[in-house]
């Protein structure tokens, strides 16, 4: 081990930074975050550092470095672009037994600054001992995608309860087991998703009733329209922690590959004329697995709350007292149209947009066709191919021009994406030939596809 890892308490301690360029700015940003008192020596200050000086967030000592400036400080950072000056700073620091870091010059360092994953108060430091800093940064980026942004809240709550847990569980081994089981439960997910009250209630329940079986957590995750790159970090993190995943039929294989390897996967997808599971059965499965104390993910195409029946599933979970959270996703109307090069709104063509489901329930005459047929708006119809004839006929009958451009996007955002363009009058014929699933876009904005299409699958 080339370096001994440690975390320094810089709160209200003095740190000297020699240099005031872009690199120095990055170091000072981290120092200010650690509540250090920063003193700067440099011939010229960059605009951001000049602003900090004016705001009295940092202290400017002047243009010339002097050895006496080292005496009151705790750490030194040499960040100038003059190596001879950096050598001088390092030599002086060595004489006075002050830790010194010289940026990008390992030979002039008595300590190095690692890549940090910051989940305050949790911190993960990654170092290659100066041999491959880019590799260390790549590892940090990988960890950033897997650790919730608010993970530190779990540590904050644990800190508040440490004394009480110690009093109630005086045996050290018993306490260690308690904390291990707590952090492996849904406590961490609740704390890191802004549900601090529920996290504390769970902690208290486990402390008072250690043998009580805890209900699990259900996370409704929007998987987006198909491209795995459109998943949010929260979605990826939930999929990596899942014990059970109930997924739609249309979830792409590339996205399912990102689910935790040993998670149980259940296809509960519904397609026109081929329902694998009724919604009531899906609701019951969510309750059943959560009551077993499992971490359950309901992986839904697009967004859970846009024609995804996420609201119905949440109502069921509330009725059974089961904790849940929502991870929004990119709905098809946003993702597929963007990949097709069709803006939903445009100052010259459409000032409003409406999302409509093609699964018209009951008598379609109850639909407000006059409202839907207004010009200067975009209609996006989900699951509308089976109703395309009705859509075309009624919209034209209620005033929409028969030559209004339409586009049908199949497998949007994916490598097999296919886009067909026509008019409102020809919509029924286009729909008969379209692959499924298909999104229908009606409106003058479709004209812009010819100009701004960018995605070539």
């Amino acid at each position: 081990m080339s370096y001994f890892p440690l975390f320094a308490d810089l709160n209200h301690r003095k740190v000297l930074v020699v240099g005031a360029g872009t690199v120095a700015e990055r170091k000072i940003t981290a120092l200010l975050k650690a509540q250090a008192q920063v003193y700067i020596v440099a011939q010229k200050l960059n605009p951001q550092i000049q602003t900090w000086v004016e705001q009295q967030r940092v202290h400017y000592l002047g243009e010339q470095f002097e050895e006496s400036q080292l005496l009151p400080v705790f750490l030194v950072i040499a960040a100038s672009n003059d190596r001879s000056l950096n050598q001088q700073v390092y030599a002086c620091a060595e004489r006075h037994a002050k830790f010194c870091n010289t940026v990008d010059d390992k030979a002039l360092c008595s300590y190095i600054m690692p890549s940090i994953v910051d989940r305050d108060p949790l911190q993960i430091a990654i170092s290659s001992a100066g041999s491959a800093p880019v590799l260390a940064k790549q590892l940090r980026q990988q960890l950033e995608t897997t650790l919730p942004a608010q993970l530190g809240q779990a540590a904050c709550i644990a800190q508040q309860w440490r004394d009480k847990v110690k009093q109630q569980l005086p045996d050290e081994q018993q306490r260690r087991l308690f904390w291990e089981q707590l952090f492996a439960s849904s406590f961490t997910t609740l704390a890191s998703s802004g549900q601090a009250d529920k996290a504390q209630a769970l902690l208290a329940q486990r402390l008072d009733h250690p043998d009580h079986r805890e209900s699990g957590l259900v996370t409704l995750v929007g998987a987006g329209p198909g491209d795995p790159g459109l998943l949010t970090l929260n979605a990826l993190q939930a999929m990596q922690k899942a014990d059970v995943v109930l997924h739609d039929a249309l979830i792409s294989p590339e996205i399912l590959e990102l689910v935790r390897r040993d998670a149980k996967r259940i296809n509960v997808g519904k397609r026109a004329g081929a329902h694998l599971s009724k919604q009531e059965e899906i609701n019951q499965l969510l309750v059943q697995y959560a009551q077993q104390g499992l971490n359950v993910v309901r992986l839904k195409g697009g967004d859970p709350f846009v024609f995804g029946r996420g609201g119905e599933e949440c109502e069921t979970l509330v009725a059974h007292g089961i904790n849940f959270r929502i991870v929004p996703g990119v709905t098809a109307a946003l993702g597929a149209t963007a990949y097709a090069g069709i803006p939903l709104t445009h100052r010259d063509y459409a000032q409003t947009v409406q999302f409509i489901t093609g699964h018209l329930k009951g008598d379609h005459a109850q639909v407000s066709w006059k409202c839907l047929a207004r010009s200067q708006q975009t209609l996006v119809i989900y699951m509308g191919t089976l109703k395309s004839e009705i859509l075309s006929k009624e919209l034209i009958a209620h005033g929409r021009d028969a030559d209004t451009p339409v586009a049908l996007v199949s497998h949007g955002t994916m490598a097999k994406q296919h886009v067909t363009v026509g008019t409102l009058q020809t919509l029924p014929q286009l729909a008969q030939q379209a692959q499924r699933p298909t999104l229908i876009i009606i409106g003058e904005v479709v004209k812009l596809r010819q100009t701004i299409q960018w995605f070539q699958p």
Side-chain angles (χ1 to χ4, degrees):
M1 186 168 65
S2 303
Y3 289 84
F4 181 77
L6 56 84
F7 288 90
D9 180 8
L10 299 184
N11 188 20
H12 296 297
R13 295 185 188 271
K14 297 179 180 179
V15 178
L16 177 66
V17 178
V18 180
T22 302
V23 175
E25 180 188 330
R26 291 202 302 267
K27 303 298 182 184
I28 294 169
T29 299
L31 293 171
L32 291 176
K33 195 172 182 180
Q35 305 297 317
Q37 295 182 10
V38 180
Y39 292 79
I40 299 170
V41 173
Q43 292 187 357
K44 183 179 180 181
L45 306 178
N46 83 356
Q48 178 58 69
I49 297 177
Q50 178 66 48
T51 300
W52 285 333
V53 171
E54 294 169 358
Q55 295 172 343
Q56 298 183 341
R57 296 186 65 191
V58 299
H59 309 275
Y60 181 50
L61 299 180
E63 296 182 1
Q64 300 299 321
F65 168 72
E66 299 176 7
E67 190 166 344
S68 61
Q69 294 165 343
L70 286 172
L71 299 180
V73 304
F74 185 71
L75 291 177
V76 184
I77 296 176
S80 79
N81 55 9
D82 183 346
R83 193 170 195 273
S84 62
L85 174 58
N86 291 342
Q87 287 177 321
Q88 180 187 356
V89 173
Y90 176 72
C92 292
E94 287 288 281
R95 280 197 296 273
H96 293 280
K98 303 288 185 178
F99 280 113
C100 179
N101 173 267
T102 303
V103 177
D104 291 333
D105 199 334
K106 183 180 177 182
L108 301 181
C109 291
S110 54
Y111 76 95
I112 57 178
M113 301 178 73
S115 291
I116 297 293
V117 179
D118 188 2
R119 298 292 186 268
D120 187 43
L122 292 173
Q123 289 182 316
I124 301 173
I126 306 167
S127 171
S128 65
S131 59
V134 173
L135 176 59
K137 289 180 181 179
Q138 288 180 345
L139 292 175
R140 176 186 63 79
Q141 291 167 357
Q142 292 177 25
L143 288 173
E144 290 280 10
T145 64
T146 59
L147 300 177
Q150 302 300 320
L151 181 61
Q153 290 301 311
C156 290
I157 294 173
Q159 174 64 33
Q160 298 169 16
W161 283 76
R162 281 189 67 183
D163 290 341
K164 186 171 183 179
V165 171
K166 191 172 183 178
Q167 291 174 3
Q168 198 154 332
L169 302 175
D171 181 72
E172 181 179 356
Q173 185 173 355
Q174 192 179 16
R175 281 201 309 277
R176 178 182 57 79
L177 182 62
F178 169 80
W179 288 116
E180 286 179 352
Q181 292 178 343
L182 181 73
F183 290 131
S185 72
S186 59
F187 166 80
T188 304
T189 303
L190 291 170
S192 60
S193 61
Q195 302 183 70
D197 291 344
K198 290 185 177 181
Q200 296 209 50
L202 174 59
L203 191 156
Q205 182 187 64
R206 279 181 164 264
L207 187 58
D208 293 337
H209 307 285
D211 297 327
H212 176 75
R213 177 181 286 274
E214 170 208 352
S215 291
L217 177 75
V218 175
T219 306
L220 273 66
V221 174
D227 182 353
L230 297 179
L231 285 169
T232 65
L233 289 180
N234 284 348
L236 181 60
Q237 291 160 5
M239 291 159 60
Q240 288 288 311
K241 292 183 65 176
D243 298 310
V244 180
V245 176
L246 280 66
H247 64 87
D248 287 349
L250 297 178
I251 301 296
S252 69
E254 294 83 359
I255 288 177
L256 288 176
E257 276 296 309
L258 299 175
V259 172
R260 198 176 93 184
R261 293 293 181 187
D262 57 344
K264 183 176 183 178
R265 306 180 192 188
I266 304 174
N267 185 349
V268 295
K270 299 185 292 296
R271 291 192 183 186
H275 290 198
L276 292 180
S277 302
K278 293 181 179 179
Q279 187 60 51
E280 293 76 12
E281 295 172 352
I282 296 173
N283 295 347
Q284 188 56 43
L285 285 172
L286 292 174
V287 172
Q288 173 186 325
Y289 284 116
Q291 288 178 340
Q292 294 175 21
L294 299 176
N295 199 340
V296 184
V297 164
R298 175 69 176 100
L299 192 58
K300 307 173 78 70
D303 180 89
F305 282 0
V306 180
F307 305 126
R309 296 191 177 179
E312 299 174 36
E313 293 171 353
C314 289
E315 289 178 313
T316 299
L317 297 172
V318 169
H320 287 81
I322 292 171
N323 291 322
F324 66 91
R325 65 180 185 130
I326 313 297
V327 177
V330 177
T331 186
L334 302 180
T337 55
Y339 276 56
I342 302 172
L344 292 178
T345 61
H346 189 282
R347 287 190 298 173
D348 296 332
Y349 299 110
Q351 287 71 53
T352 59
V353 58
Q354 294 199 51
F355 297 169
I356 307 159
T357 174
H359 286 174
L360 304 177
K361 192 172 183 179
D363 185 0
H364 67 269
Q366 296 179 358
V367 176
S368 179
W369 293 107
K370 186 176 181 180
C371 178
L372 295 180
R374 289 183 305 188
S375 60
Q376 296 292 300
Q377 75 171 343
T378 305
L379 303 180
V380 182
I381 299 96
Y382 290 69
M383 304 162 287
T385 54
L386 297 180
K387 303 289 184 178
S388 60
E389 189 171 346
I390 295 173
L391 288 166
S392 175
K393 176 183 176 182
E394 294 291 346
L395 289 174
I396 293 173
H398 286 81
R400 198 73 190 247
D401 195 314
D403 290 330
T404 301
V406 301
L408 288 79
V409 183
S410 303
H411 304 291
T413 77
M414 301 173 67
K416 55 186 176 180
Q417 173 177 295
H418 184 264
V419 181
T420 304
V421 175
T423 66
L424 184 56
Q425 190 169 23
T426 62
L427 175 60
Q429 293 76 35
L430 297 176
Q432 287 181 357
Q433 302 168 8
Q435 305 172 31
R436 295 178 186 171
T438 296
L439 193 74
I440 300 174
I441 304 100
I442 302 174
E444 285 72 18
V445 290
V446 174
K447 297 177 184 178
L448 295 167
R449 167 175 161 76
Q450 192 170 8
T451 303
I452 64 176
Q453 61 174 309
W454 61 273
F455 180 62
Q456 300 295 335

